[in-house]
Amino acid sequence: MAERVRFAICSRTATAAIAVVSTLLVACAPAARPLVGSPTRAILPPTNMAAGSQILRFTWTYKDETFEANGDGAVRAQAPDRARLDFFLKNGMAGGYAILLGDSLFVPGVDLVKRLLPPVPLLWSSLGRLALPPVPDTTARVDGDTLRADLGVLRGRDASGADGRAWRLAFGGTTLARVERIEDGKVIEWMSRRRGANGQWQLQYVHERGKRRLAIAVTDTTTVEAFDDAIWRRP
């Protein structure tokens, strides 16, 4: 009986510890603010990849609490839903790649690339394609030339008061500018995209809870006829 009592106490203690850690992790994420602007029933702008096939060359920097790295790379993007991302560390020390096909992300071998990349919906948003899981509710507001929309189980509210997971989109005019993943009213992670002074995309991914940051600066965009099917093959 004494052993059972000790086991029960330890189980309750472990459960309480897990709950405390979970609460602290959630507390590290900022609260989602209520949507601002005027309510609207406007249809969301199109969110598709650029037509055809493109190569986007870029530089990147990454930082978390224990690791920092930078380098260059390239994205080979083929509409409507294919992309291959190649990352190389500065000075050619190492590299890795990922293949994105629809809702599937394949990252062979090197842990570096797995560490860098956001989840599939946010990764697609970096290329201007919206690929979120189905949601029951949507609410939107317009503030100047910015359209924001919350998607999730909203129950008549916005993402700041949603149950469980929700998504917040922001459009600058007709351009997808930011996508946030919100959990129980907290902004857990987000992807932003904007045009830099050179006209190329500047992308930033932040995981607030994990304190991870990936910045990508596209340096050149080239349209090509097509890609060899070999680049999509998994080893």
Side-chain angles (χ1 to χ4, degrees):
M1 178 63 72
E3 290 297 326
R4 292 180 185 175
V5 171
R6 280 198 295 272
F7 177 76
I9 292 174
C10 289
S11 297
R12 287 196 296 270
T13 302
T15 301
I18 291 172
V20 169
V21 170
S22 299
T23 300
L24 289 174
L25 287 173
V26 171
C28 291
R33 297 181 179 180
L35 280 181
V36 297
S38 304
T40 179
R41 294 181 178 274
I43 297 174
L44 298 182
T47 50
N48 300 314
M49 293 171 61
S53 302
Q54 291 187 327
I55 301 175
L56 293 82
R57 295 176 178 84
F58 59 84
T59 59
W60 60 271
T61 58
Y62 173 84
K63 183 177 181 179
D64 61 30
E65 292 186 300
T66 61
F67 179 71
E68 292 185 42
N70 62 80
D72 55 26
V75 177
R76 282 171 277 187
Q78 181 175 298
D81 61 354
R82 286 188 173 192
R84 172 173 169 142
L85 302 90
D86 289 88
F87 288 84
F88 306 99
L89 277 170
K90 190 175 181 180
N91 300 323
M93 295 172 56
Y97 70 96
I99 297 173
L100 187 56
L101 301 174
D103 295 330
S104 299
L105 178 64
F106 178 66
V107 187
V110 183
D111 287 337
L112 168 67
V113 177
K114 295 178 183 177
R115 190 168 190 166
L116 297 180
L117 294 180
V120 169
L122 293 179
L123 189 53
W124 271 129
S125 72
S126 71
L127 294 172
R129 179 175 183 260
L130 199 58
L132 303 181
V135 294
D137 305 319
T138 302
T139 186
R141 287 180 175 266
V142 175
D143 182 22
D145 65 350
T146 301
L147 170 65
R148 295 184 180 87
D150 286 358
L151 299 80
V153 183
L154 304 180
R155 303 187 189 283
R157 297 170 290 183
D158 61 25
S160 64
D163 295 336
R165 176 171 297 182
W167 302 89
R168 175 165 291 175
L169 317 178
F171 294 84
T174 60
T175 300
L176 181 63
R178 183 178 172 109
V179 178
E180 301 176 357
R181 178 173 71 86
I182 297 171
E183 298 280 354
D184 297 321
K186 299 286 187 178
V187 180
I188 304 303
E189 56 185 339
W190 51 270
M191 171 70 74
S192 69
R193 56 198 302 267
R194 64 178 182 84
R195 294 284 189 183
N198 62 354
Q200 301 289 345
W201 289 110
Q202 305 286 315
L203 311 171
Q204 185 174 23
Y205 166 65
V206 174
H207 194 294
E208 298 282 2
R209 183 181 292 175
K211 301 187 187 310
R212 297 164 49 211
R213 293 180 178 269
L214 171 66
I216 290 178
V218 177
T219 57
D220 178 70
T221 301
T222 305
T223 300
V224 297
E225 289 293 329
F227 297 117
D228 190 317
D229 283 342
I231 71 168
W232 313 115
R233 292 176 190 157
R234 302 179 181 184

